[in-house]
Amino acid sequence: MNKKTVRDVNIAGKRVLVRADFNVPLSEDGEVEDDARIKAVLPTINYLLDNNAKVILMSHLGRPKGVDDKYRLDPVAGVLSGFLGKQIKKVDETVSENVEKTVAGLSEGDVLLLENVRFNKGEKENDPEFAKKLAKLADVYVDDAFGASHRPHASVVGVAQYLPAVAGLLLEKEVDNLTHLLENPDKPFCAVLGGNKVSDKIGVINKFLDIVDCLLTGGGMCFTFLKAKGFNIGKSVCEEEELEHAKEMLDKAEKNGVNFYLPVDVVVADEFSSTANHKVVTVENIPEGWLGLDIGPRTIEQYRNVLQEAQTIFWNGPMGVFEMKPYSEGTRIVAETIANSHGTTIVGGGDSDAALKKFGLEDKITFISTGGGASLKMLEGVPLHGVEVLMDKEMQNAAVGDV
């Protein structure tokens, strides 16, 4: 990573504004259901505390339209206090006179959590005035929100225009791991892509076809490719507008000598339900009116054999509707095979991470990204807004005064 990190600046006694990604799932009674993203930022927070900084945290949660009590960060504050072993301070606004007074009263080693940045209209619009108000609270800005780093929002990129801006330890780790995939993967390198939408992954498929040895597909997206090859897919998910792109990717794989694997059999059902009639059929024999919800046993065996030979594996997207037991086998066995690999294994967050947790495999993966969308953008080769605005390593400290 060619950007400065929190280790490269003087933070002792400084007010440090940290953009974290605390966009965690909440239960119906408002409790944090998965604290992985909170845990992921702890190394940066603890580093700042160990070096006598005054820590000010900010994050979004959900997609509120204005102030919405359902999306307040109080549950996050509670979990974070438990991890840090001390009560952190929480304010009910993001920017206000009250917030400024609270910040002014911080001592070295204190932690303050601002309210959900998306309660402010200026956040998603990257409004300069809102960004200036955020910057006014601190001496240094640290971006540790990889999952939001592809968003050109005020708390991600706007504030970096007004403060010395560096990466947190999580952001550094994310970029380093994903850069390794692009620049120096051990071979054979195999990508496994699932989930529903081809449109979300066309860019990364195009990039992967230049660097991988094989690409395995599953989930809903594989049916767009199957239809592009002329198969009847019944009522399975298909993005009609992506059929031409799918044909182009299949042609590119053949031209580049990349093994592009599509399912040879699938589990189909007569409706989208765990109690529906379901059966295994070859892809040549998907019945009219039925929909594919998982890869089949022959495909599972083929994919397992391919993955066992790989030295580098990237996985993003389940092989089927793994939340429903009749359609979970493909995702489970692919996940287990990846977890048991002796090579480097990187998982691109989102539903893949949820599958690893469901099957108790997350501790056996080399690296799990906290940002599914951001990881795909980076692997596609798209510059991430939140990384681009950070100070380059070659910049002299003198350029940012005594920071």
Side-chain angles (χ1 to χ4, degrees):
M1 181 163 165
N2 64 351
K3 297 293 183 177
K4 285 193 174 185
T5 75
V6 66
R7 301 188 203 87
D8 298 317
V9 290
N10 174 25
I11 54 173
K14 304 287 185 182
R15 299 168 301 158
V16 181
L17 182 63
V18 181
R19 178 49 159 102
D21 183 6
F22 295 146
N23 187 30
V24 294
L26 300 177
S27 64
E28 289 188 8
D29 56 356
E31 297 297 317
V32 174
E33 287 190 319
D34 185 347
D35 58 16
R37 286 185 169 177
I38 301 174
K39 286 180 181 176
V41 187
L42 291 177
T44 294
I45 297 173
N46 285 323
Y47 178 88
L48 294 171
L49 295 177
D50 290 345
N51 287 274
N52 303 313
K54 304 170 184 178
V55 182
I56 307 161
L57 302 169
M58 59 178 175
S59 175
H60 74 285
L61 175 60
R63 297 180 177 178
K65 297 178 180 178
V67 177
D68 186 336
D69 288 344
K70 183 171 64 174
Y71 294 110
R72 290 196 178 275
L73 288 170
D74 297 72
V76 172
V79 172
L80 191 56
S81 294
F83 283 141
L84 296 176
K86 65 177 182 180
Q87 190 66 37
I88 70 168
K89 300 179 181 181
K90 159 74 171 49
V91 285
D92 292 333
E93 307 94 22
T94 313
V95 290
S96 68
E97 285 187 18
N98 175 55
V99 172
E100 291 178 18
K101 287 178 183 177
T102 305
V103 169
L106 292 178
S107 301
E108 294 177 9
D110 283 348
V111 180
L112 172 67
L113 177 62
L114 305 180
E115 190 52 273
N116 192 335
V117 292
R118 287 192 181 171
F119 284 2
N120 304 272
K121 184 181 178 184
E123 164 65 0
K124 293 179 76 171
E125 296 176 356
N126 191 17
D127 176 51
E129 292 306 311
F130 178 54
K132 285 178 185 177
K133 289 177 181 177
L134 289 171
K136 185 180 178 182
L137 301 174
D139 305 300
V140 183
Y141 168 63
V142 175
D143 185 357
D144 215 26
F146 179 76
S149 61
H150 58 313
R151 307 290 188 192
H153 295 171
S155 68
V156 177
V157 300
V159 70
Q161 310 302 316
Y162 308 105
L163 287 174
V166 297
L169 304 182
L170 172 63
L171 185 68
E172 177 189 37
K173 190 175 181 182
E174 293 268 10
V175 172
D176 284 348
N177 274 281
L178 294 173
T179 299
H180 175 74
L181 279 185
L182 294 173
E183 297 180 354
N184 192 32
D186 294 327
K187 297 285 191 168
F189 176 15
C190 187
V192 184
L193 299 177
N196 262 353
K197 291 189 175 181
V198 174
S199 53
D200 290 345
K201 297 185 173 75
I202 281 293
V204 77
I205 291 172
N206 187 47
K207 179 68 174 180
F208 274 158
L209 291 177
D210 291 326
I211 58 177
V212 302
D213 300 289
C214 58
L215 196 152
L216 280 58
T217 64
M221 63 171 279
C222 73
F223 294 101
T224 300
F225 285 101
L226 287 169
K227 185 165 184 178
K229 291 196 72 171
F231 290 99
N232 175 21
I233 61 169
K235 286 176 60 180
S236 304
V237 170
C238 179
E239 290 181 276
E240 298 284 342
E241 65 278 12
E242 297 296 338
L243 287 172
E244 284 304 313
H245 280 142
K247 290 176 185 175
E248 290 170 9
M249 293 303 100
L250 291 167
D251 290 342
K252 181 174 180 177
E254 185 175 358
K255 178 182 175 184
N256 288 6
V258 174
N259 291 316
F260 196 113
Y261 290 91
L262 291 168
V264 294
D265 60 346
V266 291
V267 180
V268 295
D270 58 0
E271 62 180 39
F272 188 81
S273 165
S274 60
T275 58
N277 296 314
H278 61 276
K279 59 185 177 180
V280 175
V281 297
T282 63
V283 293
E284 294 89 355
N285 293 293
I286 298 175
E288 287 291 345
W290 290 55
L291 63 161
L293 297 177
D294 194 13
I295 57 175
R298 283 176 53 203
T299 303
I300 290 171
E301 186 62 23
Q302 182 184 50
Y303 284 12
R304 179 161 52 189
N305 291 337
V306 171
L307 291 170
Q308 285 174 341
E309 299 298 318
Q311 290 301 308
T312 302
I313 301 171
F314 174 79
W315 177 34
N316 180 281
M319 296 293 97
V321 187
F322 71 94
E323 300 90 347
M324 298 182 185
K325 188 168 176 54
Y327 323 115
S328 64
E329 196 72 352
T331 301
R332 182 182 68 81
I333 294 180
V334 165
E336 287 177 351
T337 307
I338 294 171
N340 290 324
S341 170
H342 297 297
T344 299
T345 52
I346 296 181
V347 174
D351 288 338
S352 307
D353 186 14
L356 288 172
K357 286 185 171 64
K358 177 181 175 69
F359 302 122
L361 300 168
E362 64 265 43
D363 293 338
K364 300 181 72 175
I365 301 297
T366 305
F367 183 71
I368 301 173
S369 177
T370 57
S375 66
L376 291 179
K377 287 294 182 186
M378 183 173 173
L379 291 172
E380 185 180 335
V382 175
L384 300 181
H385 301 288
V387 176
E388 290 291 293
V389 296
L390 304 179
M391 294 190 298
D392 294 331
K393 277 192 180 294
E394 59 266 24
M395 286 180 63
Q396 298 299 312
N397 281 334
V400 291
D402 65 343
V403 174

